[in-house]
Amino acid sequence: MADEFILARGNGRTIPQEDKIFGISNRAKAAIREKGADAVVNGTIGALLDDEGKLIVLESVDEVFHQLSKTDYAEYAPIGGIAPFREAVQKAAFGNHAPEGFKEAVATPGGTGSLRNVISNYSSFGDRVLTSDWHWAPYNTIAGEIGRSIATFTLFDENRGFNAASFAEESARLLQEQESLVIILNTPAHNPTGYSLTLEDWDKVIASLCEEAKSGKPITLLIDAAYIDFAGDEDEYREFLPKLSALPENVLCVMAYSLSKTYTLYGARCGAMICIAKTQAIADEFKRVCEFSSRGSWSNSAKLGQMILSRVYEDPQLLARVDEERAMYRNMLIARGTAFSEAAAKAGLAIVPFDAGFFVSVPCADPDALSRKLEEKDVFLVPLKLGIRVSVASVSEEKCRRLPAIIKAAMDELGM
Ligand SMILES: Cc1ncc(COP(=O)(O)O)c(C=O)c1O
């Protein structure tokens, strides 16, 4: 470890020479250059692409961007975000299902910024942050960069449902070991499985948090809603939100909301952390500590996305256009996911319980070996700890239909 760095300080971190996903993605691009796009499957990209592999950008959002004045995007925004954005982003996040409680929104650079600052303000140095065993790998980096680490519960039980018992057990264990607990639930349309917690799952989560809250220790439930508008009907997938009002005072809910996918503004780095607190004092504290941390990490967030969302929510017709356009692409995405799961069933390929979203995962014993074998067949997928991840967001429906048989054949060749 000591001689791993030349001048840099390791500070206990494991820093790979090359980001695994970018490495695979670069090899996929090279294969496409050499053999043509039709011959290659690049299922590594976490962005919605059309069937030709081009990034989808909502036209309605792009039009708003082109109508902005220079100061609209070039000026500094206040640390916590411009006032119309702070209001609009709550409407965007909660839709018709705003939970009761005291709410405050603080602008962040994407959902990532929300995750970082909620962890830094609601856990202590050295704490473990709880999330599911299948999870977005950067949670480890985000927590590790600020001296925390990730602990996991088992996401699925033997009936392929949400493992509420494991959730309860691991949260209770961590609360015994530390003075506070941050829990991240990425739902709906979880990355990397595509699972969405059902209303019954939510009842169980809330019941167990109410139980844990009797310890009197602060608990923060951080809902990573990066894919909330790509799961299905916007209203239906927000029905769980009012349930959060049942949580007691020492459980703070925060939604990490992102404009990256929902408004196809990935590179504009815009999102918000939105709290749902039981008292005004807790909400005010949230705003104060999160703005303070923002100042010390990225200062203010980019104004561009904040302006775009504010304009969209000022104009009901424009909002309807954005929603309609997104719904069209969401249907395309859902069709791809359905094609993949149907073909997996036909090919006898076991996948994790999938509901919707950008990704589907295939559990396997040696994900790195499977991913290498698939590369030989010009199929590029991301190996995770527990399986391999397929981005249906970046692969055409036709390829989604073909892929499961190819993966199954590779697994058979490897004797998996
Ligand atoms: C599960 C999950 N959470 C959060 C994010 C944050 O994205 P961003 O910071 O671009 O908003 C992503 C992006 O890929 C994600 O997959």
Side-chain angles (χ1 to χ4, degrees), residues 109-112 115 136 139 186 191 224 226-227 258 260-261 266 269:
T112 304
L115 295 163
W136 188 47
Y139 290 159
N186 171 213
N191 175 4
D224 180 353
Y227 299 93
S258 165
S260 300
K261 279 86 184 172
Y266 310 88
R269 308 310 300 138

Side-chain angles (χ1 to χ4, degrees), residues 27-309:
R27 291 197 290 280
K29 283 180 199 151
I32 289 172
R33 276 195 301 274
E34 194 193 321
K35 300 173 186 175
D38 284 347
V40 175
V41 177
N42 184 1
T44 63
I45 301 167
L48 192 56
L49 306 186
D50 65 17
D51 286 351
E52 275 68 56
K54 286 207 200 72
L55 183 75
I56 289 169
V57 181
L58 297 180
E59 280 301 326
S60 47
V61 170
D62 186 52
E63 278 172 31
V64 182
F65 165 68
H66 285 286
Q67 286 158 8
L68 295 180
S69 72
K70 284 182 278 193
T71 46
D72 279 344
Y73 61 83
E75 192 180 40
Y76 279 133
I79 301 281
I82 56 172
F85 171 75
R86 297 170 85 132
E87 223 181 284
V89 78
Q90 294 190 40
K91 292 184 189 154
F94 301 138
N96 297 320
H97 295 279
E100 274 172 37
F102 296 86
K103 286 158 262 180
E104 280 291 347
V106 176
T108 54
T112 304
S114 316
L115 295 163
R116 191 235 179 250
N117 272 0
V118 171
I119 294 174
S120 86
N121 284 292
Y122 289 90
S123 66
S124 300
F125 193 78
D127 272 2
R128 296 205 289 159
V129 170
L130 184 65
T131 195
S132 47
D133 49 358
W134 289 93
H135 61 260
W136 188 47
Y139 290 159
N140 297 282
T141 316
I142 295 166
E145 276 290 294
I146 47 176
R148 279 74 164 173
S149 60
I150 295 291
T152 59
F153 66 93
T154 307
L155 180 56
F156 300 117
D157 63 16
E158 58 286 359
N159 302 316
R160 296 172 61 77
F162 179 71
N163 197 333
S166 177
F167 175 81
E169 199 177 306
E170 296 307 325
S171 29
R173 192 199 313 275
L174 287 173
L175 267 170
Q176 268 176 4
E177 290 169 7
Q178 49 195 52
E179 289 313 305
S180 61
L181 178 61
V182 174
I183 302 171
I184 306 174
L185 289 182
N186 171 213
T187 184
H190 175 250
N191 175 4
T193 65
Y195 187 72
S196 303
L197 263 70
T198 64
L199 293 177
E200 293 72 36
D201 296 340
W202 271 110
D203 287 338
K204 291 175 189 162
V205 165
I206 285 163
S208 90
L209 292 178
C210 286
E211 193 52 39
E212 298 315 326
K214 290 180 186 160
S215 65
K217 294 180 178 176
I219 301 174
T220 304
L221 175 61
L222 178 50
I223 302 166
D224 180 353
Y227 299 93
I228 192 162
D229 285 316
F230 282 98
D233 180 74
E234 292 92 342
D235 243 1
E236 190 190 324
Y237 276 91
R238 284 174 169 77
E239 278 174 10
F240 72 94
L241 288 167
K243 289 179 181 291
L244 303 173
S245 311
L247 291 165
E249 197 172 314
N250 57 327
V251 182
L252 180 69
C253 272
V254 183
M255 187 188 274
Y257 184 80
S258 165
L259 272 69
S260 300
K261 279 86 184 172
T262 304
Y263 287 85
T264 62
L265 284 170
Y266 310 88
R269 308 310 300 138
C270 188
M273 41 196 167
I274 313 170
C275 77
I276 306 146
K278 268 277 172 317
T279 68
Q280 186 65 56
I282 295 172
D284 289 346
E285 177 188 76
F286 172 84
K287 182 168 172 285
R288 180 162 61 93
V289 300
C290 288
E291 287 188 356
F292 185 83
S293 271
S294 299
R295 187 56 166 148
S297 33
W298 46 76
S299 187
N300 44 48
S301 298
K303 196 178 170 200
L304 174 66
Q306 298 179 36
M307 280 306 299
I308 292 177
L309 193 78

